[in-house]
Amino acid sequence: MNIAFFLLPKQEVVSVTMDSTLRQTLERMEYHRYTAVPIVGKNGEYAGTVTEGDLLWYMKNSGGKVTFENTSKFLLKEVPLKVHNKPVSIDANMEDLINLAKVQNFVPVVDDMNRFIGIVRRSQIIEYCEKFVSRESKASEETKASIETR
């Protein structure tokens, strides 16, 4: 199976840049109801993932300097990122994708120049695997029924 089969292209992905303000980032996350979004660099490269926790810890540890009222004065590049969502190359194998999806809600996908081209959601991988489990279960039931009718 090819990773591209699962890819949600960057045009459909909610993302931010390092030059986004905290307010823009918070509003984008709130509007789309996401707890984490990818960060795209100036040249289109994958630059990391920002989480709600990153933003909250930054505000908490600012000594009162950053408040919800003044979040438009601070840039995302000032926020230390606690979680490093590793990207996967579009040419990677499914095993690499699944290993990352075990610990990440989404897996950023990059091309051979590290340019961000989209994400793969963990839920898509689970749905795909569910089909195999369902098929296997159905086949097992049919085999069992066939043996019982003999």
Side-chain angles (χ1 to χ4, degrees):
M1 178 62 54
N2 189 322
I3 289 175
F5 175 78
F6 298 102
L7 186 71
L8 181 64
K10 70 179 176 183
Q11 297 87 336
E12 298 176 32
V13 175
V14 174
S15 64
V16 292
T17 68
M18 286 294 203
D19 292 326
S20 298
T21 67
L22 267 58
R23 181 179 200 91
Q24 290 169 326
T25 304
L26 286 164
E27 287 176 349
R28 185 163 272 197
M29 292 171 81
E30 178 185 28
Y31 179 80
H32 294 282
R33 303 186 63 128
Y34 292 148
T35 59
V37 293
I39 304 168
V40 179
K42 290 180 183 175
N43 298 318
E45 74 279 7
Y46 171 69
T49 296
V50 63
T51 67
E52 287 177 328
D54 295 330
L55 300 173
L56 291 171
W57 284 110
Y58 178 70
M59 292 174 74
K60 178 196 173 284
N61 294 329
S62 74
K65 182 175 88 170
V66 183
T67 65
F68 284 109
E69 290 76 28
N70 70 1
T71 53
S72 60
K73 296 179 182 174
F74 297 90
L75 299 180
L76 185 57
K77 63 181 154 194
E78 300 169 32
V79 176
L81 305 177
K82 305 274 191 231
V83 177
H84 179 67
N85 271 15
K86 294 180 183 173
V88 67
S89 167
I90 189 67
D91 298 327
N93 60 43
M94 285 299 294
E95 186 176 343
D96 293 337
L97 178 67
I98 290 169
N99 282 329
L100 289 174
K102 287 191 294 190
V103 294
Q104 299 175 189
N105 286 332
F106 65 87
V107 179
V109 181
V110 296
D111 65 13
D112 58 353
M113 295 179 67
N114 196 41
R115 285 184 302 238
F116 178 73
I117 58 174
I119 64 170
V120 175
R121 294 181 185 137
R122 179 172 27 193
S123 61
Q124 291 172 292
I125 297 168
I126 292 171
E127 286 172 7
Y128 178 76
C129 292
E130 179 185 40
K131 292 176 187 175
F132 287 105
V133 171
S134 209
R135 247 188 264 155
E136 197 173 290
S137 177
K138 193 178 208 180
S140 177
E141 288 174 15
E142 289 172 357
T143 301
K144 186 177 176 182
S146 170
I147 291 172
E148 290 174 355
T149 58
R150 288 185 193 171

